[in-house]
């Protein structure tokens, strides 16, 4: 894939839920290695946008292409290169962290040794054999981070990734999903200052419409706060 | 057309020797059953088209045909039990595979509407309904085929009855069948047109309500597909 | 595909061993139902048609319990999304779930059929066993295939338990019919008779057709 090609490219993308429109006419390009932060009040379409990029939802209008592949037709080729971290950890509660990650490793064709490495990296090696149901919210989130980066994805889709994490955990997972990870990232945030600090590009959604789309350098926190007004 | 058929039923076709006037119900019952079953199969085919094309109009067609076929199936069960009561002395006969299979098919399709209604996401609703329509649509000919092979004797077969009887029987029967099929198609067209009109009206009303059309009052959840 | 199915099966096995949600409930249900039949029919032993009917109705309803639970973990704990995010063939999910349900049914029957012989069956089981195993396997395939399809259909609905029963029972009538008719001569009070080939053939044909249908359309139930 040539580097000039955008990692994520949307052209006039829309999505309905029945008769209600949850996303309308969203257009942007995100270059490889850059970070897009999506702001917007609840119900603005942030999660829908992320799920669409993760190939879990298809667009009703417009064109979506991820890592140079058009969705949904080439979804198969993209899937193994996306790390998705949503509100749900996507882990089986009765299985241990290690068992869950082993399962995902097999689905993604990743070696089992990688599981131990990732568990170590998120600081969960000592609790890896407890059922997920017995872990605290923060620990589950750490495991979810481990799951999302297990297969070394090129593109990370993070829906409020730092929710439930304590400061120590945040520093711990930063090399995996933070700016230093070197991966292309799309993340959602409700915190204008912290979100802006991470962003290369800012997208503000309100009622499914792109109210704000600009390089992070040109955006002030007040503009973001306005979205929530 | 149907009126002609009914006129023929009463004035042209001969009265059955051992069943009397009640045999006339045959001209309603059998065409109803055949049309209803064909409607179920057609619903399955439309469902398949919906999954292939993702065009919601196919889902609408599938929904309308199945919906009307269910209505016809109720008619089949009612006319059938009246007939059975008159000629066999019982409302329902268990050792008659045709009846039992029809009842099973009817029970299966009776879950179609509740299934649609209990799925909230409209798009999922259409897709799941189509999967149901295909499965059930395949189930119908399968079961009736199996029954044909292991034929029961008490149920008068339309084919034997029409070929062995006088010509007036088969003519009347054919005309009834065609009439019923036309009625079914007309009803489908009518319901489709009415549904389309409702959606157009709703869209226009939303546009009138202002530019912010996406946030018009949400419509009540419904089992019917939405265009 | 094969690797994916293996991974899914390993996960199912681990989950069932950990939670013990399906199989023990199905076994307990079968045995309780025999007791109910004992009182309901006011009979100490049954044979022939009646025995076959009691056995199959019990197994069918026990299977419904398993069908009900089949996709609950996927639905509630994000298993669907986790699976859909992986670069794998989606039909693998159907194959794995059908094999899981088939396995559950076999394990349940290993306990429930001897229990039936012990509690209710008049003629000895030994003679009938080879034929019965063939019928059980054929019927299990049918129940597993249709059960998996119906479970996937019903999991997104609000009234899941009700939907499973309403959808699966009519679709399974031919399976129960074929299985019960094929079993009846085996449990005859005069000793086991020959296995009726035509009913078994019907069962096999039905299994095959629905396996093909389900295999072809299952993918549409997974995507959003």
């Amino acid at each position: 894939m040539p580097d000039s090609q955008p990692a994520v490219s949307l052209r006039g993308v829309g999505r309905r839920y029945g008769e209600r429109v949850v996303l309308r006419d969203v257009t942007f390009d995100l270059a490889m290695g850059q970070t897009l932060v999506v702001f917007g009040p609840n119900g603005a379409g942030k999660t829908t946008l992320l799920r669409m990029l993760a190939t879990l939802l298809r667009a009703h209008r417009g064109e979506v292409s991820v890592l140079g592949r058009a969705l949904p037709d080439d979804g198969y080729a993209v899937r193994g290169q996306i790390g998705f971290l949503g509100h749900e950890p996507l882990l089986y509660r009765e299985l241990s962290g290690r068992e869950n990650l082993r399962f995902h490793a097999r689905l993604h064709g990743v070696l089992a040794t990688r599981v131990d490495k990732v568990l170590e990296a998120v600081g969960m090696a000592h609790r890896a054999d407890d059922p997920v149901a017995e872990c605290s919210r923060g620990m589950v989130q750490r495991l979810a981070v481990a799951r999302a980066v297990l297969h070394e994805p090129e593109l990370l889709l993070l829906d409020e990734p730092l929710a439930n994490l304590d400061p120590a955990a945040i520093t711990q997972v930063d090399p995996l999903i933070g700016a230093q990870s070197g991966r292309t990232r799309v993340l959602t945030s409700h915190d204008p200052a912290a979100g802006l600090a991470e962003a290369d590009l800012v997208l503000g959604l309100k009622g499914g419409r792109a109210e704000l789309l600009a390089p992070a350098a040109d955006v002030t926190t007040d503009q973001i706060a306005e979205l929530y007004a | 057309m149907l009126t002609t058929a009914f006129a023929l039923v009463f004035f042209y076709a001969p009265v059955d020797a051992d069943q009397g006037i009640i045999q006339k119900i045959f001209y309603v019952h059998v065409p109803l059953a055949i049309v209803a079953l064909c409607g179920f199969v057609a619903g399955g085919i439309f469902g398949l088209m919906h999954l292939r094309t993702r065009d919601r109009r196919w889902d609408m067609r599938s929904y309308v045909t199945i919906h009307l076929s269910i209505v016809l199936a109720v008619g089949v069960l009612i006319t059938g039990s009246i007939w059975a009561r008159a000629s066999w002395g019982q409302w329902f006969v268990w050792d008659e595979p045709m009846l039992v299979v029809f009842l099973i098919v009817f029970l299966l399709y009776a879950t179609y509407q509740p299934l649609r209604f209990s799925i909230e996401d409209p798009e999922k609703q259409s897709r799941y309904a189509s999967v149901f329509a295909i499965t059930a649509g395949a189930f119908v000919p399968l079961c009736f085929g199996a029954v044909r092979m292991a034929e029961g004797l008490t149920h008068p077969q339309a084919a034997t009855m029409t070929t062995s009887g006088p010509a007036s029987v088969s003519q009347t029967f054919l005309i009834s069948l065609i009439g019923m099929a036309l009625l079914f198609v007309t009803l489908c067209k009518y319901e489709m047109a009415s549904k389309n009109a409702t959606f157009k009206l709703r869209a226009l009303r939303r546009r009138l309500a202002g530019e912010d059309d996406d946030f018009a009052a949400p419509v009540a959840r419904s089992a019917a597909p939405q265009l | 595909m094969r690797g994916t199915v293996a991974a899914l099966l390993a996960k199912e096995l681990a989950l069932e061993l950990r939670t013990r949600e399906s199989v023990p409930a199905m076994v307990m249900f079968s045995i309780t139902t025999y007791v109910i039949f004992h009182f309901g029919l006011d009979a100490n032993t049954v044979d022939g048609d009646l025995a076959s009917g009691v056995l199959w109705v019990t197994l069918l309803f026990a299977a419904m319990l398993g069908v009900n639970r089949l996709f609950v973990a996927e639905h509630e704990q994000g298993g669907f999304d986790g699976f859909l995010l992986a670069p794998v063939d989606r039909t693998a999910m159907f194959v794995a779930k059908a094999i899981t349900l088939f396995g559950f049914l076999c394990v349940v029957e290993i306990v429930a059929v001897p229990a039936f012989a012990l509690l209710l069956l008049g003629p000895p089981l030994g003679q009938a066993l080879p034929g019965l195993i063939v019928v059980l396997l054929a019927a299990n395939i049918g129940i597993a295939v249709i059960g998996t399809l119906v479970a996937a259909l019903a999991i997104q609905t609000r009234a899941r338990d009700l939907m499973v029963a309403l959808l699966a029972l009519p679709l399974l009538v031919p399976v129960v019919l074929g299985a019960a008719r094929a079993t009846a001569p085996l449990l005859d009070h005069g000793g086991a008779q020959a296995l009726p080939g035509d009913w078994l053939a019907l069962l096999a044909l039905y299994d095959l057709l629905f396996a093909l249908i389900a295999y072809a359309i299952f993918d549409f139930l997974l995507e959003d």
Side-chain angles (χ1 to χ4, degrees):
Chain A
M1 189 172 22
D3 275 45
S4 57
Q5 203 165 16
V8 178
S9 161
L10 271 70
R11 289 283 169 273
V13 167
R15 167 97 195 174
R16 277 170 285 111
Y17 184 90
E19 291 191 44
R20 198 160 45 86
V21 178
V22 278
L23 268 188
R24 65 161 43 209
D25 208 16
V26 176
T27 299
F28 67 83
D29 283 314
L30 180 66
M32 292 295 276
Q34 298 230 300
T35 298
L36 168 73
V37 180
V38 186
F39 294 98
N42 293 328
K46 301 189 296 291
T47 302
T48 306
L49 180 66
L50 281 196
R51 289 181 65 85
M52 214 179 256
L53 296 178
T55 73
L56 293 174
L57 287 177
R58 41 179 79 211
H60 286 138
R61 287 233 178 87
E63 290 160 25
V64 184
S65 91
V66 172
L67 301 171
R69 307 276 190 161
L71 295 186
D73 296 344
D74 279 349
Y76 187 87
V78 173
R79 244 163 243 144
Q81 303 172 48
I82 297 175
F84 178 75
L85 179 57
H87 289 297
E88 305 288 329
L90 308 188
L91 300 167
Y92 294 98
R93 293 173 52 75
E94 280 83 11
L95 298 182
S96 71
R98 197 188 304 277
E99 284 169 321
N100 266 301
L101 292 181
R102 285 242 166 97
F103 168 61
H104 281 280
R106 288 182 74 175
L107 285 186
H108 283 275
V110 174
L111 288 177
T113 47
R114 168 85 183 143
V115 171
D116 298 324
K117 240 184 248 166
V118 177
L119 279 170
E120 195 67 52
V122 296
M124 283 295 291
H126 63 296
R127 293 289 302 272
D129 293 310
D130 294 351
V132 172
E134 289 173 17
C135 294
S136 71
R137 293 288 302 264
M139 290 178 176
V140 174
Q141 187 70 8
R142 289 178 188 223
L143 287 172
V145 170
R147 195 215 77 236
V149 299
L150 186 62
H151 49 292
E152 312 235 38
E154 282 185 52
L155 172 67
L156 281 173
L157 305 168
L158 311 166
D159 206 349
E160 293 171 49
L162 305 182
N164 302 317
L165 290 182
D166 58 36
I170 292 175
T171 20
Q172 210 155 20
V173 301
D174 194 59
L176 296 172
I177 61 168
Q180 312 152 25
S181 68
R183 307 184 217 266
T184 313
R185 300 183 305 153
V186 176
L187 55 103
T188 69
S189 173
H190 282 303
D191 183 342
L196 197 53
E198 287 207 62
D200 295 309
L201 187 69
V202 171
L203 175 67
L205 285 176
K206 194 170 183 181
R209 246 181 261 263
E211 299 272 324
L212 176 68
L213 177 64
D218 305 345
V219 179
T220 63
T221 47
D222 291 344
Q223 275 176 295
I224 295 165
E226 234 169 75
L227 290 167
Y228 295 87
Chain B
M1 187 73 181
L2 206 61
T3 334
T4 329
F6 282 134
L8 283 174
V9 168
F10 283 103
F11 302 114
Y12 182 55
V15 174
D16 191 283
D18 53 63
Q19 288 191 22
I21 190 80
I22 192 71
Q23 189 266 340
K24 301 275 190 202
I25 208 169
F26 158 80
Y27 298 107
V28 182
H29 174 73
V30 179
L32 260 182
I34 292 175
V35 171
L37 293 176
C38 290
F40 287 143
V41 176
I45 295 168
F46 292 155
L48 189 64
M49 293 303 292
H50 170 244
L51 290 186
R52 287 180 66 111
T53 61
R54 296 180 177 275
D55 183 342
R56 284 198 274 178
R57 273 171 301 178
W58 284 111
D59 180 45
M60 173 68 84
R61 285 178 197 132
S62 172
Y63 169 79
V64 169
T65 43
I66 288 177
H67 173 77
L68 284 171
S69 294
I70 293 170
V71 176
L72 295 195
V74 175
V76 172
L77 289 176
I78 292 171
T79 53
S81 46
I82 293 172
W83 189 10
R85 174 82 187 126
S87 59
W88 301 325
Q90 265 162 356
W91 295 109
F92 195 83
V93 187
W94 274 112
D95 50 13
E96 181 47 59
M98 218 55 161
L99 256 77
V100 179
V101 171
F102 198 89
L103 184 69
I104 293 169
V105 166
F106 174 73
L107 287 175
L108 178 62
Y109 274 97
T111 53
Y112 181 68
Q113 299 268 5
L115 174 75
R116 289 200 79 116
F117 191 73
S118 62
I119 299 176
E120 287 170 24
D121 180 343
E123 199 177 320
K124 252 182 202 162
Q125 186 190 76
S126 336
R127 226 180 27 244
Y128 280 48
S130 292
V131 168
F132 172 90
I134 295 169
T135 314
F139 179 74
V140 170
L142 214 64
C143 279
F144 279 90
V147 168
R148 280 279 154 152
M149 285 193 287
E151 199 54 273
L153 289 175
T154 45
H155 207 83
Q157 289 307 312
T160 56
M161 219 155 163
T162 43
T163 49
S164 62
S168 61
V169 175
S170 66
Q171 283 159 8
T172 316
F173 173 75
L174 263 178
I175 292 174
S176 299
L177 182 60
I178 294 167
M180 201 62 81
L182 286 176
L183 176 74
F184 181 78
V185 173
T186 318
L187 281 174
C188 282
K189 286 239 161 78
Y190 184 72
E191 191 179 342
M192 218 99 83
S194 111
K195 285 250 149 64
N196 276 334
T198 316
F199 289 120
K200 288 229 176 76
L201 183 69
R202 208 181 278 158
L204 282 176
R205 199 176 282 159
R206 266 207 311 261
R207 204 168 294 168
L208 274 178
E211 233 217 316
D212 216 4
D213 51 347
D214 318 331
F215 299 100
V219 242
R221 198 154 51 83
S222 130
Q226 298 167 354
L227 281 177
Chain C
M1 172 93 167
R2 198 174 295 170
T4 315
V5 173
L8 286 165
L9 284 177
K11 185 256 317 174
E12 293 295 339
L13 186 66
L15 265 180
E16 179 61 22
L17 287 177
R18 192 70 47 83
T19 60
R20 299 203 176 87
E21 253 171 358
S22 292
V23 172
M26 288 157 83
V27 170
M28 285 310 296
F29 177 86
S30 319
I31 293 171
T32 317
T33 310
Y34 296 145
V35 177
I36 303 277
F37 267 121
H38 162 71
F39 290 112
L41 298 169
D42 195 19
N44 287 328
T45 58
V46 291
D47 55 51
D49 282 340
L50 187 61
S52 159
V54 167
L55 179 66
W56 279 106
V57 169
T58 305
L59 291 180
L60 177 68
F61 284 109
M64 286 298 107
L65 295 182
V67 173
N68 261 328
R69 308 253 4 129
L70 196 57
F71 283 104
V72 170
E74 316 300 330
H75 183 59
E76 288 174 359
Q77 300 171 28
F80 281 128
D81 281 357
F83 175 74
L84 291 181
L85 285 167
V88 291
D89 188 344
R90 293 166 175 209
T91 315
M93 175 74 105
F94 170 73
V95 177
K97 285 290 180 184
I99 293 175
T100 306
L101 187 56
F102 179 81
F104 284 0
L105 288 168
C106 289
V107 175
V108 168
E109 281 152 5
I110 286 172
V111 184
V113 172
F116 176 67
L118 222 78
L119 292 171
L120 276 179
L121 190 64
L125 182 66
Q127 254 179 314
L129 205 55
L132 189 58
I133 288 174
V134 175
V135 181
L136 282 170
L137 289 178
N140 284 356
I141 294 174
I143 297 176
V145 166
I146 293 174
T148 306
L149 187 64
V150 166
L153 251 177
I155 193 70
Q156 301 286 351
T157 66
R158 282 171 306 148
R160 188 185 73 234
D161 302 1
L162 186 66
M163 276 299 149
V164 163
L166 286 179
L167 288 170
L169 291 181
L171 286 174
L172 284 173
V173 165
V175 172
V176 175
L177 177 77
R181 292 287 166 87
T183 312
L186 298 175
L187 304 178
D188 199 81
H189 64 105
Q193 320 248 319
L195 188 65
D198 46 347
W199 288 110
L200 201 63
L202 173 86
L203 208 54
L205 188 69
Y206 196 77
D207 288 355
L208 183 69
L209 281 173
F210 265 88
L212 289 177
I213 294 173
Y215 189 85
I217 59 178
F218 184 79
D219 284 13
F220 292 101
L221 295 175
L222 283 184
E223 61 184 86
D224 253 302

